[in-house]
Amino acid sequence: MMNRDKKYPPSRIIDTMDEYIYKTAILRAALQMKVWDKVAQGMNTAEKMAADEGWDLQGTRMLLRDLCHFKLLKIRKGKVFLTKETECYLLSDKPTYMGKFLLNEYHWEGEGQLAETIRTGKRPIRYDAGDQDMVDVWLAMYVPDLTDTADFVERMNGLWKQLDIQFHTGLRVLDIACGPAPRTLVLAQQHPDMQVTLLDWERIVQIALDFAHRLGVDQQVKTMVGDLWSAEIGSNQFDLVYMGNITHFFSPEENTQIFRKVNRALVPSGILAINAIRQEYPLPQDPELRYYALSKGGAAYTFAEYQTMLEQAGFTQVQDVARQPIKAVKP
């Protein structure tokens, strides 16, 4: 038994425990206690923080030391300071604050309810990611991508090169569940005669409009406020429809229904581009079970499953493009 243990050490299991159990609990406690706000207010030692807040001194010392070890604070001559990242994302009065989103995501599996949910199939566990009530969570998710516009624009350009979209004068584009609409707005910046219609909930559309202003494409943008189920997107209205990372929150039946609606909205030979999270390319930082837990019927689908859904909705020439995007054509 001892020889076997030496041959197969449990290092990966221990690393997972350190990364996802201990660190998670410590970061959650720090967010709940608004530690970074306290540091910004001048409570830059454990003694000051514990005295001002009435906290246990030993626990406060350990918390600050751990946060320094995680590089979420820095220490110099016995005093702690914010890092550039924490100053940007973990101060609650900043528009770039991510704490609310992080605290929400700590409970994604209902405090240990994931096993029971898998046993019974009763989901979502805590909330449905597609509900309008989740606007604050989605807004916080968009924050990191919009802090450096130049870097963001450079990263977004790659998608359209992969999809090999043929652009023409007066191209009409619909961005469904647009979020900040980075990919379509970057496209508009490159094609000044193009028109983009943005569809999402009102507060999210406003974020997209702010981003459009930063890119200088305000005059090329129209908005459609609502959700993708109730919004009237018409027929034969658009040359290109873009859908970002939303299809993994819906069942195959729901996706097919959405794709039929999109098919009607496109002109003949119009293109649907889906930036889909794919089962073939799992993301370690975004496990597939998260979509299961946070939706009534979602999953990370394979290309073959997308192809079936799209063809049932009337699309042809369904293409698997460079790891993630999917391209389909209305006949």
Side-chain angles (χ1 to χ4, degrees):
M1 185 69 180
M2 288 299 293
N3 289 336
R4 184 177 177 181
D5 287 348
K6 289 178 180 178
K7 187 175 181 180
Y8 303 109
S11 54
R12 191 168 299 175
I13 297 170
I14 298 300
D15 289 347
T16 301
M17 180 175 68
D18 291 344
E19 187 70 26
Y20 296 106
I21 299 178
Y22 298 145
K23 287 185 179 180
T24 295
I26 293 165
L27 180 57
R28 175 164 51 184
L31 287 166
Q32 291 168 337
M33 299 167 78
K34 297 188 175 180
V35 166
W36 294 275
D37 284 356
K38 312 302 181 193
V39 174
Q41 293 161 12
M43 302 178 210
N44 55 5
T45 66
E47 288 73 18
K48 285 184 181 180
M49 199 174 291
D52 287 0
E53 298 298 319
W55 296 344
D56 175 68
L57 178 58
Q58 185 179 24
T60 304
R61 282 173 176 159
M62 292 179 178
L63 177 60
L64 295 183
R65 284 200 296 265
D66 280 341
L67 292 175
C68 289
H69 178 66
F70 301 159
K71 295 183 170 45
L72 294 174
L73 285 174
K74 53 187 176 182
I75 188 165
R76 187 168 62 248
K77 295 183 178 179
K79 296 180 180 179
V80 294
F81 300 88
L82 300 173
T83 67
K84 294 294 185 182
E85 285 181 323
T86 55
E87 186 175 2
C88 182
Y89 299 120
L90 295 181
L91 294 182
S92 62
D93 61 346
K94 290 281 188 78
T96 50
Y97 180 60
M98 292 187 66
K100 188 171 183 178
F101 164 66
L102 293 171
L103 284 171
N104 182 80
E105 289 303 287
Y106 282 130
H107 305 284
W108 71 275
E109 40 72 81
E111 301 291 350
Q113 296 304 305
L114 184 59
E116 183 62 18
T117 300
I118 294 171
R119 291 188 186 107
T120 64
K122 294 179 180 178
R123 57 181 178 133
I125 296 178
R126 288 190 61 249
Y127 63 85
D128 192 330
D131 285 349
Q132 187 168 351
D133 293 343
M134 299 313 298
V135 167
D136 285 337
V137 172
W138 295 122
L139 290 175
M141 280 187 66
Y142 301 141
V143 162
D145 285 334
L146 300 178
T147 52
D148 186 341
T149 303
D151 175 68
F152 199 42
V153 168
E154 184 177 346
R155 286 189 285 125
M156 294 304 101
N157 282 331
L159 175 72
W160 303 113
K161 293 177 182 177
Q162 291 175 337
L163 289 167
D164 191 28
I165 304 294
Q166 301 301 309
F167 298 101
H168 57 77
T169 301
L171 188 76
R172 296 163 299 171
V173 179
L174 172 64
D175 192 337
I176 292 179
C178 64
R183 291 174 175 85
T184 52
L185 293 178
V186 165
L187 191 61
Q189 191 181 48
Q190 296 172 352
H191 301 273
D193 58 352
M194 181 182 119
Q195 288 292 319
V196 179
T197 299
L198 306 176
L199 168 59
D200 213 319
W201 296 315
E202 185 171 1
R203 289 174 60 202
I204 294 179
V205 165
Q206 188 56 55
I207 295 291
L209 289 174
D210 291 343
F211 191 51
H213 180 72
R214 286 161 60 182
L215 294 180
V217 296
D218 312 57
Q219 301 305 311
Q220 295 170 248
V221 175
K222 298 179 181 178
T223 61
M224 192 180 293
V225 175
D227 63 56
L228 57 86
W229 299 106
S230 60
E232 216 18 90
I233 59 177
S235 59
N236 298 315
Q237 296 291 315
F238 300 99
D239 304 288
L240 171 65
V241 173
Y242 174 75
M243 295 179 67
N245 292 330
I246 58 170
T247 51
H248 51 270
F249 289 123
F250 303 123
S251 68
E253 295 77 16
E254 289 172 320
N255 278 324
T256 301
Q257 183 180 345
I258 295 167
F259 295 155
R260 285 195 183 106
K261 187 173 183 176
V262 169
N263 190 289
R264 289 193 297 270
L266 283 165
V267 299
S269 300
I271 292 171
L272 168 60
I274 307 169
N275 201 38
I277 288 176
R278 299 269 295 282
Q279 191 182 120
E280 297 98 328
Y281 310 113
L283 302 174
Q285 73 277 16
D286 198 5
E288 184 180 353
L289 269 172
R290 179 171 172 264
Y291 320 137
Y292 179 88
L294 302 184
S295 67
K296 294 176 182 176
Y301 299 107
T302 64
F303 171 73
E305 289 172 313
Y306 274 107
Q307 186 172 27
T308 297
M309 290 183 263
L310 288 161
E311 289 176 350
Q312 287 177 347
F315 284 95
T316 60
Q317 301 178 53
V318 181
Q319 297 178 41
D320 184 0
V321 182
R323 286 185 59 87
Q324 191 177 38
I326 294 171
K327 179 180 178 182
V329 178
K330 176 179 177 175

